[in-house]
Amino acid sequence: MQLNLDRSLGTPLVQQLAEQLQGWIARQRLRPGARLPSIRSLAKGQGVSASCVIEAYDRLVASGWLVPRHGAGFFVAQRNTGLADDAGSVWSVSGDGRWRQFVEGEQQLLRLGCGWLPLSWRAEAELAHAIRQVSRGEPQALFDYCPPQGLASLRMQLHKGLAQLHIAAEPERILTTQGASHALDLLVRTLLLPGDTVLVERPGYYNLFNLLRQHGVHMLEVPRTRTGPDLAVLEPLLAEHRPRCLFINSLYQNPTGTSLTPKVAHRLLELARAHDLRIIEDDLYADFQDGPATRLATLDSEQRVIYLGSFSKTLSSSLRVGYLVAEPDLIGRLAELKMVSGIGTSRFAEQVIHQMLVTGSYRKSAQRLRLRLGQHRAAVLRQLEACGWEVFCEPSGGMFAWARVPGRSHAALEQLALANNVLLTPGSAFDPLGRDCDWLRINVAFGQDTRAQAFFQLAGRP
Amino acid sequence: MQLNLDRSLGTPLVQQLAEQLQGWIARQRLRPGARLPSIRSLAKGQGVSASCVIEAYDRLVASGWLVPRHGAGFFVAQRNTGLADDAGSVWSVSGDGRWRQFVEGEQQLLRLGCGWLPLSWRAEAELAHAIRQVSRGEPQALFDYCPPQGLASLRMQLHKGLAQLHIAAEPERILTTQGASHALDLLVRTLLLPGDTVLVERPGYYNLFNLLRQHGVHMLEVPRTRTGPDLAVLEPLLAEHRPRCLFINSLYQNPTGTSLTPKVAHRLLELARAHDLRIIEDDLYADFQDGPATRLATLDSEQRVIYLGSFSKTLSSSLRVGYLVAEPDLIGRLAELKMVSGIGTSRFAEQVIHQMLVTGSYRKSAQRLRLRLGQHRAAVLRQLEACGWEVFCEPSGGMFAWARVPGRSHAALEQLALANNVLLTPGSAFDPLGRDCDWLRINVAFGQDTRAQAFFQLAGRP
């Protein structure tokens, strides 16, 4: 392949590579189904990094020129002629790497920093069974719109489950959503105006930052410590800026894996009362709970906390089912927006979740995941320690460990990772401003893979 | 039951009734499962209309006090104690009647004005079969997030289907959405700012009006004539207000059932070019097409038309699958918002639709619906004519006829309808400002029901 990458140009190498690959496919009149060079051979041949090739291929996938095939590499897509001028146009989606993990790519790469559990861990038999049961049940589940607040029977089950966490959530205080991100979107659109100020944790959930930025909301950063948000930073921000709300993960925070201590939680609620602050508690790892845990919604006695839950992490990201708990007045406004902006959630998906809650198969499969996660977490923490990594705080549950190798930059780690077929998620992704960061989010569920183990060892300083 | 409704108060009767019923349930300490009086007996006992009782019951369902049961009436819900102060709070959802049809209620009422096909018509065997096939296929479909633009295989199928309508929609120009309303929401958020001006059809789709209002967008009304939007009104509006876009149903418009003629379509595109107007063509009844049809997206040669499709009307409202077609640059921005506001669509649902497209079972079931709709449409039109109704324009396809009885107000029609267990959707719902209107949207699929036939006859003027 004859490409002509020019490092002296202002155009990023990734963009040059993607554009020239596209031209090459067109010039060679490659037929649909033709296989492209492997990432490694193209990187070697052109003298660029593997991550540069991956990103170029991902862009061509996003723009419809290539299709990835499970374990086999990248292939020319059907009907890719005549697109030359348009193909670059969806780069904003994949171009900055944020959605890269969502685009299907070479399966030989281990996504060690991703935010979900391995496919092989999932409750495949149980979910497939529930789906088939619903498919044979009342036809309403297959065809009808869902009521505005969500399926009443599902809300009743959620209410019962939340009662076990000592969260008072009567069914009329629950609104179903298409996952926690959809709940955040409804809340941001309903509670905040452009120009409003809110508090976020640093490091924190990157999609929340994007959402707030998209809505024109100012973010004030509160460092996440080993025990929760840094209250010494929080208090003056409350007094000075009067932010509208705080977004927080109490348990197994994304990305640090830290959990709120009771002391910090109590003080946080006191401060919230004193400064009339709303708290949006995103508890999407709730069903991974391992041992005692402190939740703000459990302690809250004045409806100051809006609570979010989801089945995306503990069961399926595909079905898109989550929910939020708030006072009925706000639920009414959110339900109105939910209908206006999409005529509600999927009745079928909610019926499937309801089915798994009622039969207990969700509880059993979440328990199985929790045990397995616990074993993997312990093993990864042992290994990281043995290899000379620094762990921010030993997590007591959940998927994530926040770790670094003192003295090693992200770029150095990334290079070592790719050499071992490991794809990292940079720590900078979890910074509200995208600042460089030498910490990594490690998904412990992938840590026993031999590629991860080799990487931990090579990158570490024993 | 002792209630005390006071017509001299400013409080609407519906609200008084709902509040007093709630108090009565609490005072009587009615146990969960206790049956409430039938709509008819309560209406008679309290001297109010049946629609007033229905709305009060619907409010209590929405606020969690009551549950409806298939064909059997309304029953006290589980755990309804201590909610007295909150129960009214979700009224904004059901209170103005817009979402009333989405709240489950007494099944004995025929929803003659609703926007979907009868459950008994649906492709239950085919959809259930496709769901079971997907449940036994690749586990990714059950568990993984969907790529930002939607499942590539589904977009390829959509592309092929659109090619048969002569709409050039390469897969990278397609974005999947959770139905057409979600597509409209993404478009409004991406293309419009509060204070912008757009053109809508009158009468038109009420959820679009709500969405635009929610976003602070000004609506200019263009009357829908028998051949499409009234160009004599449109042209000066374009010159004077420079609206950003026009929202339109070309085929079988909701609610009038009228379709664009080729002449109007051509002139509309000329005007759009002259005034740099974007057109958002919502073609959600496309697969009901019966005979020749004129679409703007087919004629458009300059990517001025954004095209929307959906499977909600022709297959399932439960799965929430739709899509839009636009230039790749815009698709990239919309995909970004789609991810930020909800991390995408349901992979499972998209895989099921893909399955039905690939096997041809969607095409066959849509064809069956189309034939059946055609028979029902012809029969209803014959009967309306025989009963002295006026039909706005004989529709050539789709679900809707727009009809009235000259000289009969909506209130009079509603009363007659309820006496025959028929629930109407008022014509005012389709007016951007909610103005009174004596036209009704009639869903022809329900027109052969004996309740509808009795209503047509009694209300008509033979």
Side-chain angles (χ1 to χ4, degrees):
Chain A
M1 189 189 304
Q2 269 301 81
L3 303 183
N4 181 23
L5 303 178
D6 186 345
R7 279 164 184 74
S8 69
L9 291 176
T11 318
L13 275 183
V14 167
Q15 189 175 335
Q16 290 187 47
L17 184 58
E19 283 170 357
Q20 293 190 24
L21 278 170
Q22 188 179 302
W24 179 76
I25 293 167
R27 275 197 312 281
Q28 301 289 314
R29 303 196 170 279
L30 287 191
R31 299 172 66 90
R35 192 180 188 283
L36 267 82
S38 76
I39 288 173
R40 205 171 290 235
S41 73
L42 183 59
K44 199 172 162 197
Q46 303 298 327
V48 296
S49 71
S51 76
C52 174
V53 176
I54 293 169
E55 191 153 343
Y57 276 6
D58 275 351
R59 289 182 181 196
L60 293 173
V61 167
S63 57
W65 281 82
L66 297 183
V67 283
R69 285 209 202 125
H70 187 78
F74 290 84
F75 297 80
V76 175
Q78 297 283 333
R79 300 188 161 264
N80 59 351
T81 48
L83 308 185
D85 291 335
D86 302 333
S89 52
V90 289
W91 288 6
S92 63
V93 176
S94 60
D96 63 2
R98 275 184 286 129
W99 304 123
R100 209 165 111 186
Q101 313 217 36
F102 291 83
V103 177
E104 294 158 82
E106 277 196 326
Q107 299 295 319
Q108 75 199 57
L109 284 175
L110 180 73
R111 286 162 198 238
L112 184 60
C114 77
W116 50 82
L117 293 180
L119 203 49
S120 61
W121 288 31
R122 308 297 188 101
E124 188 176 347
E126 292 89 339
L127 178 55
H129 181 67
I131 285 172
R132 291 196 287 268
Q133 280 182 303
V134 173
S135 80
R136 294 191 176 96
E138 291 285 323
Q140 281 87 348
L142 299 187
F143 296 106
D144 282 0
Y145 288 102
C146 203
Q149 270 188 253
L151 218 54
S153 55
L154 173 60
R155 289 186 290 121
M156 184 55 73
Q157 288 301 315
L158 294 173
H159 156 69
K160 289 178 183 169
L162 290 167
Q164 299 190 342
L165 301 180
H166 307 288
I167 296 174
E170 303 295 333
E172 81 282 1
R173 296 187 64 226
I174 299 175
L175 179 78
T176 64
T177 62
Q178 278 143 354
S181 295
H182 180 223
L184 288 170
D185 186 51
L186 293 174
L187 285 167
V188 166
R189 292 173 81 176
T190 302
L191 296 178
L192 301 175
L193 290 171
D196 278 351
T197 297
V198 301
L199 292 159
V200 296
E201 296 188 287
R202 171 171 57 88
Y205 178 44
Y206 55 80
N207 199 46
L208 171 65
F209 304 151
N210 295 335
L211 175 65
L212 292 168
R213 210 172 281 124
Q214 196 267 345
H215 200 69
V217 170
H218 298 304
M219 289 177 259
L220 300 172
E221 301 172 12
V222 184
R224 178 80 179 199
T225 73
R226 285 152 185 80
T227 58
D230 188 334
L231 299 181
V233 174
L234 180 75
E235 197 165 353
L237 289 177
L238 287 172
E240 190 176 342
H241 297 279
R242 306 200 146 277
R244 303 290 307 268
C245 56
L246 162 70
F247 294 86
I248 189 171
N249 290 150
S250 297
L251 256 68
Y252 320 140
Q253 194 242 5
N254 180 6
T256 63
T258 58
S259 296
L260 216 53
T261 60
K263 196 170 152 185
V264 172
H266 277 104
R267 181 67 186 135
L268 182 54
L269 284 173
E270 279 175 5
L271 287 171
R273 179 188 298 146
H275 295 274
D276 196 22
L277 177 77
R278 293 206 81 135
I279 296 176
I280 296 169
E281 182 177 38
D282 186 357
D283 198 21
L284 72 174
Y285 310 113
D287 295 320
F288 289 150
Q289 186 183 331
D290 218 351
T294 304
R295 289 181 174 83
L296 296 166
T298 303
L299 304 171
D300 177 38
S301 60
E302 44 183 13
Q303 306 201 327
R304 191 168 287 293
V305 177
I306 297 170
Y307 181 85
L308 271 58
S310 170
F311 293 90
S312 289
K313 303 302 176 187
T314 51
L315 180 67
S316 161
S317 313
S318 170
L319 290 182
R320 315 300 310 123
V321 180
Y323 59 93
L324 62 82
V325 182
E327 71 273 16
D329 175 53
L330 178 58
I331 290 289
R333 290 161 64 205
L334 294 166
E336 174 79 29
L337 177 60
K338 173 182 162 187
M339 294 302 277
V340 165
S341 61
I343 323 230
T345 35
S346 165
R347 189 181 195 109
F348 180 80
E350 295 194 2
Q351 191 72 51
V352 169
I353 299 289
H354 170 257
Q355 180 72 17
M356 288 191 72
L357 289 172
V358 164
T359 61
S361 74
Y362 172 72
R363 188 178 51 76
K364 280 180 223 153
S365 69
Q367 191 169 14
R368 211 169 54 220
L369 290 178
R370 185 166 64 240
L371 288 173
R372 197 163 175 179
L373 253 183
Q375 291 159 356
H376 276 67
R377 194 167 51 245
V380 167
L381 291 170
R382 271 198 308 276
Q383 187 172 18
L384 289 173
E385 194 190 4
C387 295
W389 286 61
E390 178 186 355
V391 173
F392 181 70
C393 173
E394 191 162 312
S396 62
M399 279 191 278
F400 302 127
W402 188 236
R404 65 175 170 183
V405 183
R408 279 222 206 277
S409 69
H410 177 70
L413 286 175
E414 189 181 39
Q415 202 176 353
L416 267 171
L418 282 170
N420 289 280
N421 286 317
V422 168
L423 188 64
L424 302 177
T425 302
S428 59
F430 305 97
D431 185 286
L433 296 176
R435 284 164 289 214
D436 274 348
C437 169
D438 59 353
W439 292 93
L440 286 179
R441 180 176 81 174
I442 289 171
N443 184 330
V444 300
F446 292 90
Q448 297 301 292
D449 186 286
T450 52
R451 290 166 290 186
Q453 302 217 319
F455 166 63
F456 290 151
Q457 210 145 25
L458 285 166
R461 305 224 144 139
Chain B
M1 190 189 306
Q2 268 300 80
L3 303 183
N4 182 23
L5 303 177
D6 185 345
R7 280 165 182 75
S8 68
L9 292 176
T11 319
L13 274 183
V14 167
Q15 188 174 337
Q16 291 187 45
L17 185 57
E19 283 170 357
Q20 293 190 23
L21 278 170
Q22 189 179 303
W24 178 76
I25 293 168
R27 275 198 311 280
Q28 301 288 314
R29 303 194 172 281
L30 287 192
R31 300 172 65 89
R35 190 181 191 283
L36 267 82
S38 76
I39 288 174
R40 205 172 289 238
S41 74
L42 184 59
K44 199 172 163 196
Q46 302 298 326
V48 295
S49 70
S51 75
C52 174
V53 176
I54 293 169
E55 191 153 342
Y57 277 4
D58 276 351
R59 289 180 181 198
L60 293 172
V61 167
S63 57
W65 281 83
L66 298 183
V67 283
R69 285 208 203 125
H70 187 79
F74 290 84
F75 297 81
V76 175
Q78 297 283 330
R79 300 186 160 265
N80 59 350
T81 49
L83 308 185
D85 291 336
D86 302 334
S89 52
V90 288
W91 289 6
S92 62
V93 175
S94 60
D96 63 1
R98 274 185 286 130
W99 304 122
R100 210 166 110 188
Q101 313 217 35
F102 291 83
V103 177
E104 295 159 82
E106 278 197 325
Q107 299 295 320
Q108 76 198 54
L109 284 175
L110 180 74
R111 286 162 198 238
L112 184 60
C114 77
W116 50 82
L117 293 181
L119 203 50
S120 60
W121 288 31
R122 308 296 188 103
E124 187 175 347
E126 292 89 339
L127 178 55
H129 181 67
I131 285 172
R132 290 195 288 269
Q133 281 183 303
V134 173
S135 81
R136 294 191 178 95
E138 291 285 325
Q140 282 87 348
L142 299 187
F143 296 105
D144 283 0
Y145 288 102
C146 204
Q149 269 189 252
L151 218 54
S153 55
L154 174 60
R155 289 186 288 121
M156 183 55 74
Q157 289 302 315
L158 294 173
H159 156 69
K160 289 178 183 169
L162 290 167
Q164 299 189 341
L165 301 180
H166 306 289
I167 296 174
E170 302 296 332
E172 82 282 0
R173 296 187 63 225
I174 300 175
L175 179 77
T176 63
T177 62
Q178 278 144 354
S181 295
H182 179 223
L184 287 170
D185 186 51
L186 292 174
L187 286 167
V188 166
R189 292 174 80 176
T190 302
L191 296 178
L192 301 175
L193 289 171
D196 278 352
T197 297
V198 301
L199 292 160
V200 296
E201 296 188 287
R202 171 170 58 87
Y205 178 44
Y206 54 80
N207 200 46
L208 171 65
F209 304 151
N210 294 333
L211 175 66
L212 292 168
R213 210 172 282 124
Q214 195 268 345
H215 200 69
V217 170
H218 298 304
M219 289 178 258
L220 300 173
E221 302 172 12
V222 185
R224 177 80 179 201
T225 73
R226 285 152 185 81
T227 58
D230 188 333
L231 299 181
V233 174
L234 180 74
E235 197 165 353
L237 290 176
L238 287 172
E240 190 177 343
H241 298 278
R242 306 200 146 276
R244 302 291 307 270
C245 54
L246 162 69
F247 293 87
I248 189 171
N249 290 150
S250 298
L251 256 68
Y252 319 140
Q253 195 242 5
N254 181 6
T256 63
T258 57
S259 296
L260 216 54
T261 60
K263 195 169 155 186
V264 171
H266 277 104
R267 181 66 187 137
L268 182 53
L269 285 172
E270 279 176 4
L271 287 171
R273 178 187 299 144
H275 296 273
D276 196 22
L277 176 77
R278 292 205 81 134
I279 297 175
I280 296 169
E281 182 176 38
D282 186 355
D283 197 21
L284 71 175
Y285 310 113
D287 295 320
F288 288 151
Q289 186 183 329
D290 218 352
T294 304
R295 289 181 175 82
L296 296 166
T298 303
L299 303 172
D300 177 39
S301 59
E302 43 183 15
Q303 305 200 327
R304 192 169 286 293
V305 177
I306 297 170
Y307 181 84
L308 271 59
S310 170
F311 293 91
S312 289
K313 302 303 177 188
T314 51
L315 180 66
S316 161
S317 313
S318 170
L319 291 181
R320 316 300 310 125
V321 180
Y323 59 93
L324 63 81
V325 182
E327 71 272 16
D329 176 51
L330 179 58
I331 290 289
R333 290 162 62 206
L334 294 165
E336 174 79 28
L337 177 61
K338 172 182 163 186
M339 293 304 276
V340 165
S341 61
I343 323 231
T345 35
S346 165
R347 190 182 193 108
F348 180 80
E350 294 193 2
Q351 191 72 52
V352 169
I353 300 288
H354 170 257
Q355 179 73 18
M356 289 192 70
L357 289 172
V358 164
T359 61
S361 74
Y362 172 72
R363 188 177 51 74
K364 280 180 223 153
S365 71
Q367 190 169 15
R368 210 169 52 220
L369 290 178
R370 186 167 64 241
L371 287 173
R372 197 163 175 179
L373 254 183
Q375 292 158 355
H376 276 68
R377 195 168 50 244
V380 167
L381 291 170
R382 271 198 308 274
Q383 187 170 20
L384 289 174
E385 194 190 5
C387 295
W389 286 62
E390 178 186 355
V391 173
F392 182 71
C393 173
E394 191 161 315
S396 61
M399 278 192 278
F400 303 127
W402 188 237
R404 66 175 170 183
V405 183
R408 278 222 206 277
S409 68
H410 177 69
L413 286 175
E414 189 181 39
Q415 201 177 353
L416 267 171
L418 281 169
N420 289 281
N421 286 316
V422 169
L423 187 64
L424 302 179
T425 302
S428 59
F430 305 98
D431 185 288
L433 297 176
R435 283 164 291 214
D436 273 348
C437 169
D438 59 353
W439 293 93
L440 287 178
R441 180 176 81 173
I442 289 170
N443 184 331
V444 299
F446 293 89
Q448 297 302 293
D449 186 286
T450 52
R451 291 166 289 186
Q453 302 216 319
F455 165 64
F456 291 151
Q457 210 145 25
L458 284 166
R461 304 226 146 140

